[in-house]
Amino acid sequence: MTGIRDRAHPAPPTPPPPPPEPSRLLPADVLRLGAVGLRARRSRVVLSALGIALGIATMVAVVGLSESSRADLMARLDRLGTNLLTAEVVPDTGGREVRLPKSAVAMVERIGPVEHATATGQVDARIRRSAVVPPERTAGVTAQAARTDLLAALGARVARGVWLDRASERLPVTVLGALAAERLGVTAPGETIVMNDERMVVVGILEPVELVPTLDRVALVGFPAAEEYFGFDGHPSMVFERSPDATVDDVREVLARTVSPGAEGYIKVSRPSDALAAKAATDRGLTALMLGLGAVALLVGGVGVANTMVISVLERRPEIGLRRALGATRGAVRAQFLMESLLLSALGGAAGALLGTAATYGFALAQGWRPVVPLWAPAGGLAATLLIGAVAGLYPAVRASRLHPTEALKGT
């Protein structure tokens, strides 16, 4: 009875075992596979990474040098001040002669916010190194009368020697601008030059005057000495004034009328620090241009990475076929080649960031600047390289994953 019951109700069949789950590569495995692929072709990797490195180095260096230059410029502006105004006569095309009054400085000092006012005057004198030099060979150096408080107002400094004082401003002595001393061949105080037929002793040589660079080409004498030795009439040709930053615009509005009442249309009022600020704006435009060139270099480097990866796929068809035959999924093959592209780009990006930072520090220190490399510059460069690597490696990775194992193994 038992045997009859078993044949009538057979036992259910045993279900087949579930298919094995395909193995998945861990991120660490993908990283190792990508590194192995790069180590196998070191020369090609170095050349491909070089294009990326040059692009990133250019961009980091441009940003770093621009920021270092701007920081130096801002430091100079802070030191020199942006509250200096100048007033000078504009040549009259109609033949009218306009001169600033002798009392121009005193008139400016009566403007409420003005803290300091001084002046220089044009002196008619031919300057030569010695009496044996023909009078017409002036070396491009002119003469001006200066008040003793000129250096304090301009924030200028004497490089060698001394500045004019209450005693020396009446004597046949002169202080040369930096460029004037160079053109005349004067290297130290105590040497003499000839102004007209008067021998003048050089008592000082100025450092370059950043706010008023025209003074670099000038031989300065005191107002009393200019009147005694060169027939100077005492009328200033340029007035300088300083006032608090908050009042500069207000003083600028009334300065021309103050120094030359009734003829203010012939007076040019300017702010010397604006030239330095304009230089900063010019530097920003140049920085944008250089960043564009760096981006082009980076793009060319990305094309090189894509080319390297395409060639790598073609050369490694047998390897890809074997991995696929052994069970590697298409996703695993894609991940491997994409990782190689990312590593290749990251290698070039890191090298470029280091190279650009080193170039910035070297050049900035050579110029006497404080090196400034914003953190976002190398970080942004590395991010850009990873993006370039992902884009450049996407097509080769997809192409490698689509290779059929049979077709790929035919290359073995």
Side-chain angles (χ1 to χ4, degrees):
M1 293 296 295
T2 302
I4 295 173
R5 190 182 304 116
D6 290 341
R7 284 194 296 270
H9 302 281
T14 304
E21 293 185 3
S23 62
R24 299 184 181 275
L25 290 176
L26 298 176
D29 300 325
V30 177
L31 182 62
R32 280 194 294 269
L33 279 174
V36 169
L38 294 184
R39 286 199 299 268
R41 283 161 291 278
R42 296 182 180 178
S43 299
R44 189 181 301 166
V45 166
V46 170
L47 293 176
S48 298
L50 183 60
I52 294 285
L54 290 177
I56 294 300
T58 300
M59 299 177 73
V60 172
V62 166
V63 172
L65 291 177
S66 174
E67 291 298 321
S68 300
S69 174
R70 190 172 295 114
D72 177 73
L73 180 58
M74 292 302 104
R76 286 160 56 196
L77 283 174
D78 289 341
R79 174 171 56 84
L80 298 171
T82 59
N83 61 341
L84 177 69
L85 293 178
T86 64
E88 59 181 325
V89 176
V90 178
D92 183 11
T93 57
R96 178 183 176 185
E97 182 181 0
V98 178
R99 294 192 299 173
L100 297 178
K102 293 183 180 180
S103 59
V105 172
M107 295 162 64
V108 171
E109 288 175 337
R110 286 197 291 269
I111 301 176
V114 172
E115 298 174 336
H116 197 170
T118 187
T120 59
Q122 198 68 38
V123 176
D124 185 14
R126 291 182 176 271
I127 300 175
R128 298 171 286 163
R129 183 64 175 89
S130 66
V132 299
V133 178
E136 62 272 10
R137 297 185 61 181
T138 62
V141 179
T142 58
Q144 288 189 13
R147 290 166 54 111
T148 56
D149 56 354
L150 179 66
L151 248 61
L154 300 182
R157 292 182 293 223
V158 177
R160 295 184 292 278
V162 296
W163 175 242
L164 302 172
D165 55 26
R166 290 297 181 184
S168 61
E169 70 171 348
R170 301 179 178 275
L171 302 176
V173 299
T174 181
V175 175
L176 298 179
L179 188 56
E182 180 181 338
R183 290 178 175 178
L184 292 170
V186 176
T187 58
E191 300 183 37
T192 61
I193 62 173
V194 175
M195 298 176 65
N196 287 349
D197 295 324
E198 189 72 35
R199 186 174 295 276
M200 307 289 288
V201 178
V202 177
V203 296
I205 299 174
L206 298 179
E207 292 184 357
V209 183
E210 295 179 279
L211 284 180
V212 190
T214 54
L215 293 180
D216 294 342
R217 302 185 295 272
V218 169
L220 298 165
V221 298
F223 265 69
E227 294 174 358
E228 179 177 352
Y229 297 104
F230 307 109
F232 177 56
D233 58 11
H235 289 271
S237 58
M238 181 176 288
V239 174
F240 307 88
E241 74 81 27
R242 283 190 185 271
S243 54
D245 289 330
T247 64
V248 169
D249 291 336
D250 295 332
V251 174
R252 190 171 191 167
E253 290 293 325
V254 302
L255 186 58
R257 294 195 300 272
T258 302
V259 298
S260 185
E264 58 268 20
Y266 299 97
I267 305 300
K268 176 185 176 183
V269 177
S270 58
R271 191 177 187 175
S273 59
D274 289 345
L276 294 177
K279 180 178 181 297
T282 303
D283 288 344
R284 282 193 290 270
L286 182 61
T287 298
L289 175 62
M290 296 303 295
L291 282 176
L293 294 177
V296 171
L298 183 59
L299 181 61
V300 172
V303 173
V305 170
N307 181 60
T308 298
M309 296 308 301
V310 169
I311 294 176
S312 178
V313 170
L314 295 176
E315 290 179 344
R316 297 163 65 185
R317 287 167 61 94
E319 173 194 335
I320 297 170
L322 181 60
R323 291 198 62 221
R324 290 296 312 281
L326 292 176
T329 63
R330 288 185 175 183
V333 174
R334 279 197 303 267
Q336 175 187 350
F337 281 88
L338 191 58
M339 178 58 69
E340 287 189 23
S341 178
L342 289 173
L343 287 177
L344 178 56
S345 299
L347 179 65
L354 291 175
L355 182 61
T357 301
T360 298
Y361 271 75
F363 188 83
L365 292 175
Q367 295 294 319
W369 302 341
R370 182 175 64 88
V372 177
V373 180
L375 182 60
W376 61 263
L382 287 174
T385 57
L386 292 178
L387 178 61
I388 289 290
V391 173
L394 186 59
Y395 169 71
V398 171
R399 181 172 179 175
S401 67
R402 290 180 177 177
L403 286 176
H404 194 276
T406 304
E407 295 295 328
L409 287 171
K410 286 182 180 179
T412 58

